[in-house]
Amino acid sequence: MNAKIITVWGANGSGKTTVAANLAAALADRDLMVGIISSKLTYGELQSIFGKRVEPEKGIYKAISNGCNTKNMFEATDNPNLFILSPPNVFDGMLLTAISADTVKELIEDSRIRFDYIIIDGSEELNNPVSSIGLTMSNKIVRVYKVCAKDCIWHKAMENLTDLIHIRSKTITIINGYDKSCDKMAFLSGLDVKPDFELPFVSNCQTLTNAGKLIYNNKLVNAHYKKTIQKLASQVMLGG
């Protein structure tokens, strides 16, 4: 087994972690083994979304100290095919010294033998090793945007990098949760990119996250959201 790698990337607040988690659930629903690796190295946002806790004997730092061996380091979720690798809930800042480009690459390579798909929950920061190594190793990149001026500025700032590391051709673009607070046509014109998918706005997204529940699994949420995530999963699989 040699997992395909998908990095979900975007500006801060674009909703990329939520998209990563729901995409993982859609892939896991197809009887695929899926692991999500967090680029958040000081707190566990994935734990909140899945309603789980990562103890000190598990998680990304324990895996690194184990020689980048990820066996039994991923935390199980309620879906038997879906696992997360994240910092422990009790975090010591000294653990950050273990993170480097080399350890991250070894960590991802070891994870690949255990899953069908690895999803990297990326970071807007270029100096984040999990995100930057994930981008270079990825089969596909899912780029997530909120319709706002900040995301347009971030997009422009990343254009040279996009060409430098040759990721434009393997990028899927998503508009996430348009809430009509900004002119969408003006935003898309500034972006100069045609989105591949648009996820509808989910008014109770934060409530579900705080309760440790996925949008994808919630029957009360707009069915269009789930169908769009399923189409995204199909596109990711075809592109891999």
Side-chain angles (χ1 to χ4, degrees):
M1 189 182 299
N2 195 15
K4 293 181 174 63
I5 300 172
I6 313 299
T7 295
V8 181
W9 193 36
N12 183 42
S14 62
K16 54 188 175 293
T17 300
T18 302
V19 170
N22 285 280
L23 171 60
L27 289 168
D29 259 6
R30 301 184 184 204
D31 206 25
L32 297 164
M33 295 295 291
V34 183
I36 312 179
I37 299 178
S38 174
S39 68
K40 307 291 192 303
L41 299 174
T42 57
Y43 65 97
E45 194 172 2
L46 286 175
Q47 286 99 299
S48 173
I49 288 177
F50 287 99
K52 297 297 174 181
R53 180 180 176 84
V54 177
E55 300 296 344
E57 63 271 14
K58 281 192 171 185
I60 194 166
Y61 292 108
K62 186 65 176 179
I64 288 172
S65 69
N66 250 13
C68 296
N69 183 348
T70 59
K71 184 179 180 181
N72 299 324
M73 294 296 110
F74 279 80
E75 181 66 40
T77 69
D78 292 339
N79 187 317
N81 294 334
L82 179 52
F83 300 79
I84 60 173
L85 187 68
S86 189
N89 283 55
V90 179
F91 174 76
D92 182 342
M94 292 298 291
L95 293 170
L96 283 169
T97 59
I99 293 284
S100 69
D102 288 339
T103 56
V104 168
K105 187 172 182 180
E106 288 179 42
L107 192 79
I108 294 173
E109 290 288 8
D110 187 80
S111 302
R112 293 183 78 178
I113 67 174
R114 308 184 193 283
F115 297 96
D116 297 304
Y117 282 85
I118 293 292
I119 294 181
I120 309 291
D121 174 25
S123 169
E124 71 281 359
E125 301 291 345
L126 295 181
N127 61 354
N128 181 292
V130 177
S131 184
S132 59
I133 295 298
L135 285 171
T136 61
M137 295 178 69
S138 286
N139 298 89
K140 275 289 178 183
I141 294 158
V142 176
R143 207 158 169 173
V144 183
Y145 296 92
K146 278 284 179 69
V147 178
C148 62
K150 173 177 62 66
D151 281 38
C152 193
I153 293 169
W154 178 85
H155 171 82
K156 294 297 184 183
M158 295 301 114
E159 282 294 83
N160 284 341
L161 175 72
T162 298
D163 291 328
L164 183 66
I165 59 177
H166 309 292
I167 60 175
R168 194 179 300 278
S169 63
K170 56 183 180 181
T171 295
I172 299 171
T173 302
I174 292 181
I175 299 300
N176 183 36
Y178 178 53
D179 60 3
K180 301 182 180 179
S181 62
C182 182
D183 187 313
K184 184 163 65 172
M185 295 308 295
F187 173 81
L188 292 174
S189 176
L191 217 61
D192 197 26
V193 172
K194 183 180 179 182
D196 298 291
F197 298 97
E198 182 171 342
L199 285 166
F201 176 69
V202 177
S203 59
N204 62 337
C205 175
Q206 197 60 52
T207 302
L208 291 171
T209 298
N210 289 336
K213 297 178 180 178
L214 283 178
I215 298 172
Y216 182 83
N217 293 333
N218 193 285
K219 295 179 181 178
L220 299 179
V221 171
N222 186 336
H224 181 52
Y225 186 98
K226 185 168 185 174
K227 288 179 180 177
T228 305
I229 287 288
Q230 288 171 334
K231 288 178 181 178
L232 172 61
S234 295
Q235 185 67 29
V236 161
M237 292 174 69
L238 286 172

